[in-house]
Amino acid sequence: MSTTRHTRLLIIGSGPAGYTAAVYASRAMLSPILVQGIEPGGQLTTTTEVENWPGDTEVQGPDLMVRMEGHARAMGTEIVSDIITSLDVTQRPFTAKGDSGTTYTCDAVILATGARAKWLGLPSEDKFKGFGVSACATCDGFFYRGAEIVVVGGGNTAVEEALFLTNFASKVTLIHRRDTLRAEKIMQDRLLKHPKIVPLWHHEIAEVIGTENPQGVEAVRARDVRSGAITEIPCKGVFVAIGHAPASELVADVLETHHGGYVKVEPGTTRTSIPGVFAAGDLTDHVYRQAVTSAGMGCMAALDAERFLAAQEVNLQAAE
Ligand code: FAD
Ligand code: NAP
């Protein structure tokens, strides 16, 4: 049965930005509802060790997110397992429809929908997704014990995934389209010293090759971006780690975005182009995209929302 629920503040997303916003908003007595989405805990649930969360020399990503969820609940946030399928911020109260059939109305909303893995866009990649092609080493690495694996990308994610996959694989080939990595230096050092990892510079994947029955990957055809020459690399798994795109589809038509879909906020705030709509975390950030910066923006969004709601109330009282 469909129900409608009203809350002063709706938080969409359960990554570091959403949970931090929830902690602050709850402590401001706003009684927020937080909708978790398809990936409760966000991107950090797809990794293992996190070594740059202040206060923890090393913490497992999924553990950190369970703790953040617990923290938000303990402060009084109502956490709902649902996915927002549409959001109308053109009139107040704002209306969000959930996949569960619930409609949420709210006086202010914090968007913290983060980012999602990008894919290469090859038909052969699509064909073998879930059958050897993956974007999550922590989820799928275990299936490739003793096998040869290919990782594509040159950022922190690709380097982390390649290092993690050495726990299972006999060999990991890191294919990168340039000869310089974007990843942090400490990660680059670990990668380049690892005996199981072989970088293949200046290459991109032209095609994933495999069998139909059973469906599975056998190799990739890698193209030298300088000469066009093709090299076939045998492998059972292909991990695509070429970055993330902002999950802004709920609001892309109504809010100002920039740099390929990142929601634009007023500098130094989390205010978007519509009053009462705030955005935090990777959804707004094409530069830093870290757990700690997302959490920081979640805090800012809750404080901005609190001030917005307080001003609304003052205006209402004055009108009465
Ligand atoms: P996300 O973590 O992306 O969370 C987005 C949330 O929004 C999810 O809960 C999702 O379910 C929800 N959502 C999306 N759409 C909807 C919808 N329609 N309805 C409801 N909910 C929705 N950063 C570090 O600082 N240190 C690290 O070691 C580190 N390691 C990483 C390893 C990997 C493999 C990856 C992919 C990223 C890593 N990062 C790391 C980056 C870090 O994870 C992100 O910067 C951070 O998670 C962004 O937080 P966020 O809250 O903005 O969004
Ligand atoms: P990223 O930093 O944007 O790097 C993406 C990589 O993929 C780049 O090397 C890029 O190549 C390559 N690439 C992009 N499109 C490609 C394509 N079509 N074909 C082939 N290669 C392609 O993304 P990320 O590594 O996912 O990191 C995202 C954010 O999360 C970053 O801010 C990162 O710091 C953060 N993160 C942090 C940690 C950590 O702190 N330990 C771990 C993971 C992620 P070019 O270099 O040539 O552009």
Side-chain angles (χ1 to χ4, degrees):
M1 203 181 72
S2 63
T3 51
T4 298
R5 307 210 33 211
H6 184 75
T7 176
R8 291 178 78 198
L9 177 64
L10 183 68
I11 300 169
I12 307 178
S14 57
Y19 282 145
T20 307
V23 167
Y24 275 79
S26 297
R27 284 173 50 78
M29 310 308 256
L30 295 177
S31 308
I33 291 180
L34 179 148
V35 180
Q36 285 183 308
I38 202 162
E39 191 174 58
Q43 291 170 64
L44 281 189
T45 60
T46 68
T47 190
T48 49
E49 292 90 9
V50 174
E51 295 180 350
N52 49 18
W53 180 255
D56 287 310
T57 310
E58 186 185 301
V59 58
Q60 295 291 310
D63 291 348
L64 179 60
M65 297 320 297
V66 165
R67 276 167 34 202
M68 282 197 205
E69 177 179 343
H71 191 170
R73 268 188 213 284
M75 292 298 126
T77 305
E78 180 179 341
I79 295 176
V80 180
S81 172
D82 202 352
I83 299 165
I84 300 301
T85 52
S86 69
L87 176 66
D88 182 359
V89 288
T90 58
Q91 53 185 0
R92 293 226 186 83
F94 303 140
T95 306
K97 291 211 175 351
D99 193 43
S100 64
T102 303
T103 297
Y104 306 85
T105 60
C106 59
D107 303 319
V109 61
I110 293 176
L111 306 168
T113 48
R116 288 201 192 104
K118 282 193 207 161
W119 295 94
L120 296 166
L122 300 169
S124 55
E125 169 193 58
D126 222 29
K127 180 173 167 188
F128 290 106
K129 257 184 212 165
F131 298 93
V133 173
S134 168
C136 178
T138 41
C139 318
D140 299 329
F142 188 70
F143 300 120
Y144 301 97
R145 275 161 296 169
E148 295 191 13
I149 292 177
V150 158
V151 174
V152 199
N156 270 326
T157 302
V159 171
E160 255 187 27
E161 304 240 307
L163 287 164
F164 175 72
L165 287 165
T166 59
N167 291 319
F168 314 101
S170 55
K171 177 182 170 190
V172 177
T173 305
L174 181 89
I175 300 182
H176 183 36
R177 61 188 180 184
R178 299 185 293 129
D179 64 353
T180 326
L181 295 166
R182 227 174 246 282
E184 288 167 82
K185 292 283 175 261
I186 187 169
M187 304 293 292
Q188 296 194 25
D189 281 355
R190 284 181 202 165
L191 179 106
L192 297 171
K193 281 185 192 146
H194 202 290
K196 279 191 186 175
I197 301 179
V198 179
L200 182 61
W201 306 121
H202 298 297
H203 276 72
E204 61 188 10
I205 294 189
E207 191 184 357
V208 181
I209 307 168
T211 51
E212 297 278 340
N213 197 8
Q215 206 169 350
V217 170
E218 300 266 276
V220 295
R221 300 178 76 230
R223 185 192 298 117
D224 188 321
V225 294
R226 299 159 303 182
S227 65
I230 296 281
T231 311
E232 203 165 295
I233 303 165
C235 61
K236 291 283 173 209
V238 179
F239 287 82
V240 179
I242 59 167
H244 287 75
S248 55
E249 57 281 349
L250 284 176
V251 289
D253 293 344
V254 285
L255 291 182
E256 277 179 44
T257 58
H258 59 168
H259 299 290
Y262 288 86
V263 171
K264 199 170 173 182
V265 290
E266 276 176 44
T269 80
T270 59
R271 290 196 292 264
T272 68
S273 49
I274 296 185
V277 181
F278 304 91
D282 279 13
L283 175 68
T284 73
D285 178 10
H286 68 285
V287 181
Y288 303 105
R289 294 175 297 175
Q290 302 294 305
V292 70
T293 47
S294 296
M297 283 187 260
C299 156
M300 290 163 64
L303 296 177
D304 287 343
E306 182 193 356
R307 281 167 202 156
F308 168 82
L309 289 168
Q312 295 284 103
E313 265 158 39
V314 169
N315 290 345
L316 263 181
Q317 279 161 13
E320 279 164 14

